[in-house]
């Protein structure tokens, strides 16, 4: 026997059993984005490697060790996108979307990072993100946060997530702070782990993010960026917080929140949960005012966020927040017995679909006994089973059986049937 080919480690199939929950989540996203006036953008999965090196930063975890990079047949280095922002910025510059206009864009799709697979962390995962160009906030930063907060409310997640906020200040303030940090960490070389030593001169801010227990005390005592903000960034941050206060959105200021990508400045935020172990960040974002220029466009302020779909779906599942009727495949299941009835069932199915465009109807195919067809009808989640047998065919009727209620079976002609179904499933018309 031939050996079985398996999926790539850390890359998952989305099976039919799981797709209703994903569709439920995606449905909320789609309508929410349009309610806020955001437009969808789709970009290719493959980009030139340099796009990510220049935006995310050479000395970040993503670029140093997580990217799927390979040479194509022309010897050009390509990378499977590890995140969405860089691609959206590239596309927006390339297509002139940023010329004297604001843009509110959103996207969804798979991202790729070579990480150690575990619960909530995969090598192919999915993000939903938004990127807003041409507004320097803080009102627009708050809008982005309000949009996500509304999503949590709709999904029943509000009490399970916490908003963490920080400001990284201007690039100049951050550069000055960086020097102070290098000085401080250099005085604590004995406590630094290998990663931290390596990053000391390349990306010292990331050391603040370290999870190494022995370093925590030292990190607690480190100088804080919030104490070294430039005046404009301080005002920006204060206004942001007061806008959130007036909108009734609680938050925690976390001075250690630095984010793993180089392009952020001023506002950074994360929505976290304690229900998923160490993969607790479900949404993360911030301002990246310098990125458009850095990638060759005219300087345009920007802010955005991305959420991890797997983590959110997992969270809904873990917390039992999945609507009960989600797994119901169809409303009506149509069974038939005998060749002539099967032929008729196919036609009846089509004419019911003409009459009731919103009805979810499955016609049984492939024959079988009453018992086996009933079993399939039951498994489909249908509330109503329709039966076409020899008797019904002769009388030009259909029998209707209620699957989930103790109501009596009925026999109806086709127009009576269409009327009953229309009353029973008002959204089907
Ligand atoms: P983490 O600290 O968990 O590694 P990150 O800072 O690398 O996250 P971002 O680049 O900010 O993550 O991506 C935004 C969101 O995408 C994360 O908050 C998370 O929900 C999700 N995400 C990131 N990497 C993965 C992954 N490998 N598998 C599943 N979801 C992920
Ligand atoms: Mg990561």
């Amino acid at each position: 026997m031939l050996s079985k080919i398996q999926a790539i480690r850390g890359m998952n199939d989305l099976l039919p059993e799981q797709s209703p929950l994903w569709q439920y989540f995606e449905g909320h996203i789609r309508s929410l984005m349009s309610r806020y006036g955001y437009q969808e953008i789709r970009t290719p999965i493959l980009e030139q490697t340099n796009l990510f090196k220049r935006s995310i930063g050479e000395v970040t975890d993503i670029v140093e060790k997580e990217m799927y990079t390979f040479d194509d047949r022309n010897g050009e280095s390509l990378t499977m996108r590890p995140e969405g922002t860089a691609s959206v910025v590239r596309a927006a510059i390339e297509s002139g979307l940023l010329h004297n206009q604001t843009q509110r864009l959103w996207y969804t799709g798979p991202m790729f990072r070579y990480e150690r697979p575990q619960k909530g962390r995969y090598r192919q995962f999915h993000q939903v993100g938004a990127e807003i160009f041409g507004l320097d906030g803080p009102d627009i930063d708050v809008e982005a946060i309000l949009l996500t907060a509304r999503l949590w409310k709709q999904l029943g997640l509000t009490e399970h997530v916490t908003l963490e906020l920080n400001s990284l200040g201007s690039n100049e303030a951050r550069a000055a702070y960086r020097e102070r940090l290098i000085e401080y960490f250099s005085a604590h070389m004995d406590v630094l782990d290998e990663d931290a030593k390596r990053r000391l001169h390349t990306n010292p801010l990331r050391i603040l993010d370290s999870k190494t227990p022995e370093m925590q005390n030292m990190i607690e005592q480190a100088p804080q960026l919030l104490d070294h903000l430039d005046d404009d960034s301080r005002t920006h941050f204060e206004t942001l917080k007061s806008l959130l206060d007036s909108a009734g959105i609680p938050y925690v200021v976390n001075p250690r929140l630095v984010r793993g990508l180089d392009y952020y400045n001023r506002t950074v935020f994360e929505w976290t949960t304690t229900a998923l172990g160490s993969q607790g960040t479900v949404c993360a974002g911030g301002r990246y005012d310098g990125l458009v220029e850095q990638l060759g466009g005219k300087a345009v302020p920007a802010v955005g966020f991305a959420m991890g779909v797997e983590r959110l779906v997992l969270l809904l599942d873990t917390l039992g927040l999945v609507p009960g009727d989600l797994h119901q495949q169809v409303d009506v299941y149509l069974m038939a017995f005998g060749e002539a009835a099967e032929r008729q069932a196919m036609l009846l199915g089509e004419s019911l679909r003409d009459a009731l465009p919103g009805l979810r109807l499955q016609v049984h195919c492939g024959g079988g006994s009453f018992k086996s067809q009933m079993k399939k009808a039951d498994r489909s989640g249908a509330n109503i089973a329709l039966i076409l047998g020899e008797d019904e065919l002769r009388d030009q009727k259909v029998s209707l059986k209620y699957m989930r209620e103790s109501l009596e079976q009925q026999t109806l002609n086709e127009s009576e049937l269409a009327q009953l179904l229309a009353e029973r499933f008002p959204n089907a018309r």
Side-chain angles (χ1 to χ4, degrees):
M1 209 169 82
L2 292 175
S3 64
K4 271 190 234 142
I5 297 177
Q6 290 185 321
I8 295 167
R9 195 165 117 82
M11 303 203 178
N12 301 312
D13 301 305
L14 181 67
L15 300 175
E17 186 196 10
Q18 303 154 325
S19 57
L21 182 51
W22 279 64
Q23 287 170 355
Y24 165 75
F25 178 76
E26 289 161 354
H28 276 283
I29 293 290
R30 225 160 260 287
S31 79
L32 193 65
M33 291 297 178
S34 97
R35 288 174 72 193
Y36 279 80
Y38 286 54
Q39 293 178 291
E40 188 181 1
I41 181 166
R42 302 185 189 190
T43 63
I45 282 167
L46 284 179
E47 296 277 358
Q48 288 183 23
T49 301
N50 276 339
L51 173 65
F52 303 114
K53 286 195 176 167
R54 265 167 64 185
S55 54
I56 298 168
E58 298 261 6
V59 248
T60 54
D61 281 353
I62 295 180
V63 172
E64 274 186 340
K65 46 189 186 194
E66 296 175 0
M67 293 204 308
Y68 278 91
T69 297
F70 60 93
D71 288 349
D72 79 355
R73 290 174 192 275
N74 289 325
E76 186 183 9
S77 180
L78 304 182
T79 294
M80 295 173 71
R81 63 181 185 195
E83 57 112 43
T85 305
S87 309
V88 172
V89 172
R90 198 252 329 121
I93 296 172
E94 198 170 327
S95 308
L97 299 185
L98 306 179
H99 286 152
N100 306 317
Q101 51 190 324
T102 58
Q103 293 286 353
R104 285 170 164 89
L105 306 176
W106 73 277
Y107 61 84
T108 181
M111 306 294 161
F112 303 84
R113 296 186 195 176
Y114 193 82
E115 300 199 67
R116 193 169 66 80
Q118 54 198 291
K119 185 176 144 194
R121 193 177 292 287
Y122 311 99
R123 289 180 175 174
Q124 172 175 313
F125 62 100
H126 296 75
Q127 286 185 341
V128 167
E131 314 291 354
I132 303 138
F133 298 99
L135 297 166
D136 55 14
D139 50 353
I140 189 65
D141 303 18
V142 172
E143 178 181 286
I145 292 171
L146 288 175
L147 186 157
T148 51
R150 185 176 294 275
L151 178 66
W152 312 144
K153 193 168 160 206
Q154 289 179 0
L155 297 172
L157 288 173
T158 304
E159 58 188 287
H160 303 283
V161 290
T162 305
L163 174 62
E164 298 186 29
L165 278 187
N166 194 16
S167 176
L168 301 180
S170 66
N171 290 340
E172 297 75 40
R174 197 149 55 122
Y177 172 68
R178 190 174 175 277
E179 293 311 312
R180 295 185 74 104
L181 262 190
I182 295 178
E183 208 174 294
Y184 173 81
F185 287 136
S186 300
H188 295 87
M189 283 301 254
D190 49 326
V191 203
L192 298 187
D193 63 9
E194 283 312 308
D195 251 5
K197 281 186 186 139
R198 196 167 46 81
R199 285 189 174 132
L200 181 57
H201 292 279
T202 53
N203 199 351
L205 264 74
R206 278 313 296 270
I207 300 178
L208 296 172
D209 211 19
S210 163
K211 307 280 184 302
T212 305
E214 294 74 24
M215 287 170 53
Q216 296 309 306
N217 243 336
M218 184 271 297
I219 290 172
E220 291 293 338
Q221 310 292 319
Q224 294 192 355
L225 185 47
L226 276 182
D227 298 331
H228 297 89
L229 285 188
D230 52 295
D231 288 343
D232 286 351
S233 295
R234 181 178 311 283
T235 310
H236 195 278
F237 194 49
E238 291 307 318
T239 312
L240 174 88
K241 288 189 293 181
S242 94
L243 287 172
L244 286 173
D245 289 337
S246 50
I249 306 286
Y251 54 82
V252 183
V253 174
N254 174 0
R256 286 177 55 182
L257 186 66
V258 292
R259 310 283 302 113
L261 303 82
D262 273 0
Y263 49 63
Y264 288 109
N265 69 301
R266 291 201 170 156
T267 314
V268 287
F269 66 92
E270 287 191 357
W271 287 97
T272 59
T273 174
T274 51
L276 294 180
S278 52
Q279 272 58 252
T281 304
V282 291
C283 176
R287 194 154 264 294
Y288 49 95
D289 296 326
L291 184 59
V292 176
E293 195 174 18
Q294 202 180 311
L295 289 178
K298 216 174 82 190
V300 170
V303 59
F305 62 80
M307 50 184 101
V309 181
E310 280 82 358
R311 288 187 196 177
L312 283 161
V313 164
L314 194 62
L315 187 59
L316 292 173
D317 220 359
T318 308
L319 297 171
L321 294 171
V322 181
D325 57 358
L326 221 51
H327 293 281
Q328 190 191 354
Q329 221 176 310
V330 292
D331 305 309
V332 175
Y333 195 93
L334 172 51
M335 315 189 282
F337 302 94
E339 208 175 301
E342 280 172 19
R343 187 177 281 263
Q344 180 56 28
M346 192 183 76
L347 300 179
L348 175 62
E350 286 305 297
S351 87
L352 287 174
R353 291 185 187 109
D354 285 341
L356 301 165
L359 186 71
R360 298 178 305 162
L361 166 87
Q362 189 156 77
V363 177
H364 179 88
C365 286
S369 68
F370 186 79
K371 199 173 150 198
S372 79
Q373 293 199 30
M374 264 316 267
K375 214 168 165 180
K376 291 223 170 99
D378 186 39
R379 247 191 256 145
S380 74
N383 286 310
I384 285 177
L386 301 177
I387 303 161
L388 265 182
E390 272 169 27
D391 294 352
E392 284 87 357
L393 208 55
R394 186 194 56 226
D395 303 340
Q396 300 196 350
K397 302 252 163 152
V398 182
S399 295
L400 181 150
K401 187 172 162 55
Y402 291 94
M403 301 291 288
R404 324 272 156 199
E405 294 133 291
S406 46
L407 293 172
E408 234 172 89
Q409 185 163 323
Q410 303 182 34
T411 301
L412 311 156
N413 66 32
E414 192 178 323
S415 72
E416 290 167 338
L417 172 64
Q419 196 181 339
L420 185 146
L421 293 177
E423 278 162 24
R424 176 70 197 234
F425 304 104
N427 297 330
R429 268 192 257 219

